[in-house]
Amino acid sequence: MDIRQLFSGEQLNQTVSVSGWVRTFRANRFIALNDGSCLANLQCVVDFEQTPEAVLAEINTGAALEITGTLVESQGKGQSVEIQVDTIRVLGTSDPDEYPIQPKKHSLEFLREKAHLRVRTNTFAAVMRVRAALSFAVHQYFTENGFYQVHTPIITGSDAEGAGEMFRVTTLNPEEKNDEPDFFGKETNLTVSGQLEAETYAMGLGKVYTFGPTFRAENSNTSRHLAEFWMIEPEVAFNDLDDNMDLAEDFIKSVLAYVLEHCKEDLGFLDQRFAQEEAKKPQLERSPMGLLERLQFVTQNEFKRVSYTEAIEILRNSKPNKKKKFKYLVDGWGIDLQSEHERYLVEKHFTSPVILFDYPAEIKAFYMRMNDDGKTVRAMDVLFPGVGEMVGGSQREERLDKLQERMKAMDIDEEELWWYTDLRRFGSAVHAGFGLGFERLVLYTTGMGNIRDVIPYPRTPQNASF
Ligand code: 4AD
Ligand code: MG
């Protein structure tokens, strides 16, 4: 029986058995036991006169115990039920002088060094339970809406984004200079996106999505970038950009509504944590809303939809631009937006999630559909307060000649992507999709400040421990 089930109270006055890890042991009498099934600890009341000294000495923070006793209504405040302990079996001891996770507040930086044990803290356990619930909600949303999951390859021969930020995969030893062919007989890399393969499946299954690991060797040591992250990429035949925006908005609202309903205890805890962290910041940097408040706000309000051109005008006339407070001043149409600009738009100007669309072709990938103006493409980015870009997507170029033109202009090897252009030869049609960075979604939902703290074992420049 796990602790979450015991809190339902159904086993009241029965003998129950439960296993978990000791969080604290007070007054030789009260064990706070946690088994990860929920946030709350189960209080286990020990009759120390009936318990051997040797056993009492082994009940330390971090030890694993199996406890058998009677589940009773709690006498103390703060919990509904507790166990009157009959027997304690020590499954694994934990030396209190060595165990790093003490019953006190540890810094997130310290806990990153102890990533193998940090899930035994309330904060990380809550974050990881919410992460798991979001993952379930993603699959539920797509399944209920007629999408099929496709497993796109992790080792690929193509650079979908054309950004060249790939991790090479090879069996060749660089120190041995021989003429042996590589395993696949060609250069291969870890995928930066499953989009191109997903497009081929959308043009047969109609509505598909991928949810898998994604790798980018970009040297951005920021609180929002990982070298290995999980991306969700829906792709839909016959959808245009407006349909794509509708899908992204509905999808995000729906998964947030799921966790608001199913993760009340953990989100309540993270809401308090968020409030404490915000209170430490200078007034101007504080989030105008609490964590739960902002999640509710997102599920209940429409995202603002603004063209790139309109956004540039807003930024050009903004206070920080006129007072030269931006690091990168917005001086004209065509620039790539920096995160300070995106943050100004969502956090100061609109104070809500924003979908920017119709970007200059120059700054976007080759596969995006060209607009009639010949200079913008049907791209969209969904921007969120605190995390910046949560989603990047587009309507795809379905016209063979236009696609070839763009590939040539952007130096994309058409021979390598023959299968991708083939899609435009046989039954081509309007289609669209997007990619959502799963950790950015978890970051926003949990109110954590650093993406390294919402994935079990973060991979970042100079860091691949564990
Ligand atoms: O905007 P991106 O690069 O878009 C694509 O890869 C398209 N092929 C998606 C598509 O249309 N199917 O990446 C999509 C999202 C970003 O908006 C961001 O949330 C996330 O992936 N992302 C990262 N998350 C964590 N660490 C990184 N290094 C990330 N790079 C992108
Ligand atoms: Mg992007």
Side-chain angles (χ1 to χ4, degrees):
M1 192 81 33
D2 67 35
I3 291 177
R4 192 165 65 118
Q5 290 169 308
L6 292 181
F7 277 126
S8 75
E10 278 168 35
Q11 278 74 34
L12 210 59
N13 303 319
Q14 294 175 21
T15 300
V16 296
S17 201
V18 63
S19 300
W21 295 270
V22 178
R23 285 293 177 82
T24 57
F25 184 36
R26 283 189 298 121
N28 246 359
R29 195 167 164 78
F30 302 106
I31 302 172
L33 198 74
N34 191 287
D35 68 355
S37 61
C38 60
L39 184 80
N41 301 325
L42 180 66
Q43 174 153 286
C44 306
V45 186
V46 181
D47 183 350
F48 58 87
E49 283 169 357
Q50 302 297 316
T51 311
E53 280 290 329
V55 170
L56 288 175
E58 287 183 338
I59 306 175
N60 295 308
T61 298
L65 307 181
E66 183 190 64
I67 287 178
T68 306
T70 314
L71 192 73
V72 297
E73 261 174 75
S74 180
Q75 310 300 310
K77 271 199 210 136
Q79 63 260 326
S80 53
V81 294
E82 62 189 27
I83 289 188
Q84 296 283 344
V85 177
D86 291 329
T87 57
I88 299 175
R89 199 153 73 90
V90 179
L91 303 175
T93 58
S94 173
D95 183 339
D97 297 328
E98 299 281 330
Y99 185 57
I101 313 293
Q102 294 298 319
K104 63 162 194 170
K105 201 172 160 73
H106 292 292
S107 76
L108 296 174
E109 290 78 11
F110 171 83
L111 291 171
R112 260 172 238 152
E113 309 275 309
K114 315 282 177 210
H116 60 309
L117 296 171
R118 66 179 179 172
V119 75
R120 296 197 204 173
T121 64
N122 282 340
T123 298
F124 281 94
V127 167
M128 293 307 157
R129 278 187 298 262
V130 172
R131 184 183 164 111
L134 279 169
S135 173
F136 175 78
V138 167
H139 290 296
Q140 177 172 275
Y141 176 86
F142 286 124
T143 304
E144 284 178 356
N145 285 283
F147 285 71
Y148 297 105
Q149 186 186 13
V150 294
H151 296 102
T152 48
I154 290 168
I155 301 174
T156 69
S158 61
D159 178 4
E161 293 305 298
E165 291 155 340
M166 297 187 295
F167 289 102
R168 184 81 186 268
V169 175
T170 179
T171 50
L172 296 183
N173 181 347
E175 270 142 48
E176 279 170 36
K177 288 207 175 55
N178 54 26
D179 297 327
E180 228 184 287
D182 208 343
F183 188 88
F184 296 107
K186 63 181 290 191
E187 189 178 317
T188 49
N189 298 286
L190 294 177
T191 184
V192 294
S193 160
Q195 177 197 323
L196 304 191
E197 291 90 351
E199 277 187 56
T200 66
Y201 264 64
M203 298 310 279
L205 291 180
K207 294 195 262 186
V208 300
Y209 73 104
T210 71
F211 188 170
T214 310
F215 308 87
R216 294 196 185 174
E218 52 195 334
N219 219 337
S220 343
N221 225 330
T222 77
S223 57
R224 294 171 301 113
H225 287 88
L226 292 164
E228 176 181 290
F229 61 100
W230 289 69
M231 189 157 41
I232 296 149
E233 294 184 279
E235 191 70 35
V236 185
F238 317 117
N239 262 13
D240 65 12
L241 191 70
D242 287 323
D243 302 324
N244 206 33
M245 291 194 244
D246 291 343
L247 176 64
E249 182 168 344
D250 188 53
F251 167 60
I252 294 172
K253 285 178 169 169
S254 162
V255 295
L256 292 183
Y258 178 89
V259 291
L260 277 170
E261 191 187 333
H262 291 91
C263 303
K264 290 204 172 83
E265 189 188 29
D266 286 321
L267 287 178
F269 169 80
L270 292 167
D271 182 65
Q272 283 175 9
R273 185 189 174 278
F274 185 76
Q276 287 163 9
E277 293 300 309
E278 288 297 306
K280 291 182 198 158
K281 293 182 183 169
Q283 189 78 46
L284 265 174
E285 288 169 30
R286 283 183 207 162
S287 162
M289 286 185 227
L291 180 65
L292 285 171
E293 199 184 353
R294 79 177 189 185
L295 293 176
Q296 267 139 12
F297 178 88
V298 171
T299 59
Q300 288 160 9
N301 289 278
E302 277 178 20
F303 296 6
K304 299 280 180 336
R305 300 186 186 189
V306 186
S307 75
Y308 166 91
T309 305
E310 289 169 80
I312 288 290
E313 277 316 298
I314 293 168
L315 289 166
R316 238 158 46 135
N317 298 316
S318 69
K319 236 194 214 165
N321 200 53
K322 288 189 163 156
K323 293 196 164 166
K324 301 204 172 9
K325 289 271 158 62
F326 283 142
K327 193 163 159 229
Y328 298 90
L329 292 180
V330 179
D331 51 9
W333 197 90
I335 60 155
D336 205 353
L337 296 184
Q338 303 294 323
S339 72
E340 57 178 346
H341 306 140
E342 297 178 342
R343 293 191 64 161
Y344 175 82
L345 289 172
V346 287
E347 289 165 24
K348 302 283 181 229
H349 189 85
F350 290 109
T351 59
S352 107
V354 174
I355 310 184
L356 290 187
F357 61 91
D358 284 351
Y359 281 75
E362 298 279 307
I363 58 171
K364 289 290 182 187
F366 73 95
Y367 49 70
M368 300 188 179
R369 193 184 197 281
M370 187 64 77
N371 279 310
D372 292 341
D373 61 12
K375 57 177 197 173
T376 60
V377 286
R378 301 245 78 191
M380 63 175 225
D381 276 5
V382 183
L383 311 178
F384 262 70
V387 301
E389 185 190 324
M390 177 100 82
V391 165
S394 62
Q395 185 179 321
R396 319 307 188 187
E397 183 57 80
E398 84 284 11
R399 301 162 297 184
L400 181 62
D401 55 335
K402 300 273 186 220
L403 181 65
Q404 285 169 323
E405 224 173 274
R406 281 274 282 162
M407 288 174 86
K408 200 164 279 158
M410 298 184 82
D411 223 11
I412 307 281
D413 188 358
E414 217 197 296
E415 260 169 59
E416 191 65 48
L417 288 178
W418 63 273
W419 50 274
Y420 187 71
T421 48
D422 242 14
L423 280 188
R424 279 77 183 162
R425 292 190 182 92
F426 308 112
S428 190
V430 165
H431 62 289
F434 62 83
L436 179 143
F438 186 56
E439 283 73 21
R440 296 211 180 152
L441 176 67
V442 183
L443 197 58
Y444 185 76
T445 310
T446 58
M448 298 297 283
N450 193 313
I451 202 162
R452 292 167 176 77
D453 298 328
V454 299
I455 187 166
Y457 297 108
R459 268 70 181 111
T460 52
Q462 301 303 313
N463 173 37
S465 305
F466 304 99

